């Protein structure tokens, strides 16, 4: 039975402060954790076991999180306490959990992709006839510089792989989508117990030996590794659900698309949406305006406040007449006092209390 290793031990620094208190794989996407979206897709492709390659920091979060596992057994493989193993080391660490007779998937935790895993698996099996050890899912993007960029031969062999090329130097727009099928022979390419970057150390070796292949796929693909991309995937999915009915709330103006989880309550004369995701038990007062934003579970937004283009963490308490602007990110358990204005791009660490307005973009630690 094909297994999957999910790399879930990264620091997620680009998603701070929201990632200070949860790994990326637990970020809710339209009120469902990314882990659940991923497991559902893996289950459809016949995967029965997923190995979570975690760190000491991320393991407890994932273990305590209630997620429907879709019939998939979750096993944990933990990096050593003081030695994060990078993107390659955790694969070697999980070697004893993987059958040596069968190919397996490796997935970056922060990818939302509409990909048929069975197709890349088949492609890899065909590539193996040409001695492939790895097949990487490749996706075409407009700005490839943030990613690993691949150049293919006509047989889909990767002849060049450049991790994060300098602006203007990317040979193609095909980028590493963070989804791989690997042959167990890969274990010979990764030293044991060491921090290894699969992108910078292993793939270039495989390119040289002509054993790295690409599988190009279209459709939806987003790396939620940056906060604006996290908001973007929520928006895209809201659009795709636009025809589904969200429940009416008396006295509230709901501008679709929106998504409300269980237990959401909204006071009269509030205007919610478009593009508002309200997590479980979010409580919104009267005359509140929320648009283009994701509000995590348990948060309270009091009367006459507005939130536009922001990400608000779990159990945040926002006072009355507060204004939160575009690009603001509030960590879990933040408290914002009445009448505070947070302009564009203010980011607040978990647990902080904000007494005064912040009128320039800054991080409040
Ligand atoms: P940033 O700090 O924002 O760059 O995020 P990140 O640390 O997650 O790095 P990156 O997005 O490049 O990681 C790619 C994938 O590898 C993600 O799925 C990470 O969770 C995973 N990953 C990165 N470093 C480690 C590590 O040291 N150990 C494990 N187990 N996984 C890792």
């Amino acid at each position: 039975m094909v297994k999957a290793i999910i790399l879930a031990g990264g620091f997620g620094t680009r998603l701070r402060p929201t990632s200070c208190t949860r790994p990326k794989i637990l970020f809710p996407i339209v009120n469902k954790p990314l882990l659940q979206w991923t497991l559902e897709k893996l289950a459809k492709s016949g995967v029965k076991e997923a190995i979570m390659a975690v760190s000491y920091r991320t393991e407890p979060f994932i273990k305590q999180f209630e997620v429907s596992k879709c019939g998939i057994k979750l096993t944990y493989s933990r990096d050593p306490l003081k030695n994060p193993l990078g993107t390659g080391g955790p694969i070697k660490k999980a070697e004893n959990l993987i059958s040596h007779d069968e190919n397996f998937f490796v997935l970056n935790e922060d990818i939302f992709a509409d990909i048929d895993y069975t197709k890349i698996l088949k492609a890899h099996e065909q590539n193996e006839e040409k001695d492939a050890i790895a097949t990487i899912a490749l996706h075409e993007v407009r700005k490839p510089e943030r990613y690993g960029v691949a150049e293919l031969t006509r047989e889909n062999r990767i002849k060049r792989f450049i991790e994060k090329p300098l602006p203007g130097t990317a040979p193609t727009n095909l980028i590493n989508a963070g989804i791989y099928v690997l042959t167990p022979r890969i274990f010979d390419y990764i030293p044991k117990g060491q921090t290894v970057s699969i992108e910078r150390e292993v793939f270039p070796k495989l390119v040289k030996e002509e054993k790295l292949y690409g599988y190009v796929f279209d459709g939806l693909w987003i790396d939620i590794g940056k906060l604006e991309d996290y908001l973007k995937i929520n928006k895209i999915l809201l659009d795709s659900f636009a025809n589904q009915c969200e429940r009416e709330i008396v006295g509230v103006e709901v501008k679709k698309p929106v998504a409300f989880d269980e237990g959401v309550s909204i006071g009269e004369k509030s205007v919610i949406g478009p593009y508002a995701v309200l997590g479980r038990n979010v409580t919104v007062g009267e005359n509140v305006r929320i648009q283009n934003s994701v509000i995590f579970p348990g948060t309270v937004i009091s009367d006459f406040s507005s939130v536009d283009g922001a990400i608000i963490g779990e159990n945040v308490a926002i006072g009355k007449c507060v204004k939160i602007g575009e690009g603001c990110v509030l960590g879990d358990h933040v408290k914002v006092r009445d009448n505070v204005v947070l302009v564009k791009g203010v980011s607040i660490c978990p647990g902080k209390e904000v007494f005064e307005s912040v009128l320039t973009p800054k991080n409040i630690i």
Side-chain angles (χ1 to χ4, degrees):
M1 222 34 99
V2 188
K3 294 184 182 177
I5 298 177
I6 301 178
L7 296 171
F11 285 94
T13 41
R14 290 166 299 158
L15 282 178
R16 284 180 186 160
T18 315
S19 59
C20 295
T21 40
R22 67 182 58 70
K24 290 186 270 192
I25 194 130
L26 296 183
F27 272 53
I29 303 204
V30 190
N31 291 327
K32 184 156 82 177
L34 179 53
L35 176 58
Q36 200 163 324
W37 288 99
T38 306
L39 292 179
E40 282 170 12
K41 285 199 196 99
L42 285 173
K44 274 193 196 151
S45 316
V47 171
K48 296 268 185 274
E49 185 174 344
I51 298 152
M52 306 298 301
V54 290
S55 64
Y56 270 87
R57 200 181 67 89
T58 56
E59 183 181 13
F61 287 112
I62 300 173
K63 278 192 166 159
Q64 69 177 238
F65 203 80
E66 280 176 30
V67 57
S68 154
K69 299 184 179 70
C70 316
I72 294 184
K73 180 180 163 204
L74 290 190
T75 312
Y76 290 81
S77 172
R78 188 190 315 126
D79 287 8
L81 179 59
K82 290 191 178 146
N83 187 19
L85 295 175
T87 51
I91 300 171
K92 180 73 176 172
K93 175 91 186 354
E95 183 174 0
N96 60 343
L97 302 170
I98 295 283
S99 153
H100 274 226
D101 304 324
E102 202 159 29
N103 296 329
F104 58 97
F105 294 107
V106 171
L107 312 181
N108 282 358
E109 65 173 322
D110 46 6
I111 302 300
F112 188 101
D114 214 352
I115 184 172
D116 182 342
Y117 292 113
T118 56
K119 286 195 177 155
I120 182 173
L121 188 62
K122 264 206 193 113
H124 182 64
E125 281 160 10
Q126 283 165 7
N127 297 335
E128 275 185 306
E129 288 164 17
K130 294 170 264 171
D131 207 25
I133 287 186
T135 299
I136 306 181
L138 300 173
H139 191 72
E140 197 169 334
V141 297
R142 266 192 302 135
K143 291 185 181 166
E145 286 83 7
R146 269 172 61 191
Y147 308 98
V149 179
E151 190 178 359
L152 293 175
T153 64
R154 248 190 258 151
E155 291 82 44
N156 289 328
R157 184 170 60 72
I158 297 180
K159 60 178 178 184
R160 252 204 307 170
F161 183 83
I162 308 164
E163 186 61 18
K164 300 192 176 72
L166 291 171
T169 65
T172 72
N173 285 38
L174 286 177
I175 57 115
N176 169 8
I179 298 166
Y180 322 128
V181 180
L182 305 178
T183 296
R185 278 160 68 208
I186 194 77
F187 295 123
D188 300 336
Y189 288 78
I190 312 174
K192 200 172 172 178
Q194 288 183 28
T195 308
V196 176
S197 161
I198 194 162
E199 302 89 345
R200 292 181 191 277
E201 296 170 63
V202 181
F203 290 160
K205 237 187 250 172
L206 293 178
V207 167
K208 262 196 196 144
E209 295 181 14
E210 304 194 345
K211 293 184 170 78
L212 188 66
Y213 282 74
Y215 167 81
V216 181
F217 75 102
D218 305 321
L220 183 56
W221 178 87
I222 287 198
D223 163 2
I224 68 149
K226 282 184 12 184
L227 287 159
E228 58 265 38
D229 292 330
Y230 170 67
L231 274 182
K232 191 168 152 193
I233 183 64
N234 278 280
K235 271 187 151 186
I236 290 172
L237 289 183
L238 279 175
D239 269 332
S240 72
F241 303 153
N243 293 332
Q244 282 179 16
C245 263
E246 196 44 82
R247 64 181 183 274
E248 300 275 320
I249 301 177
V250 182
V252 176
E253 187 181 344
V254 175
K255 294 187 174 177
K256 285 184 186 174
V258 296
F260 303 151
D261 206 346
E262 280 167 34
V264 163
S265 80
I266 305 171
E268 285 190 0
K269 294 188 191 147
S270 288
V271 183
I272 311 297
Y275 301 106
V277 179
L278 273 51
R280 186 180 287 223
N281 298 330
V282 163
T283 305
V284 175
E286 294 179 2
N287 289 289
V288 169
R289 181 87 182 83
I290 303 172
Q291 63 176 353
N292 296 321
S293 298
V294 178
I295 318 293
F296 282 43
T299 282
V300 177
I301 302 173
S302 308
D303 301 348
F304 295 100
S305 288
S306 71
V307 180
D308 186 357
I311 300 167
I312 310 292
E314 233 172 277
N315 296 314
V316 168
I318 295 174
K320 288 183 184 169
C321 304
V322 168
K323 247 186 162 178
I324 298 181
E326 202 185 308
C328 287
V329 187
L330 274 57
D332 294 347
H333 301 282
V334 162
K335 286 195 173 75
V336 183
R337 292 288 183 95
D338 294 349
N339 303 310
V340 162
V341 176
L342 302 176
V343 291
K344 219 173 167 172
V346 175
S347 150
I348 301 172
C349 271
K352 277 269 152 200
E353 193 159 356
V354 185
F355 298 92
E356 286 175 1
S357 295
V358 184
L359 302 175
T360 50
K362 63 162 90 153
N363 296 343
I364 301 194
I365 304 171

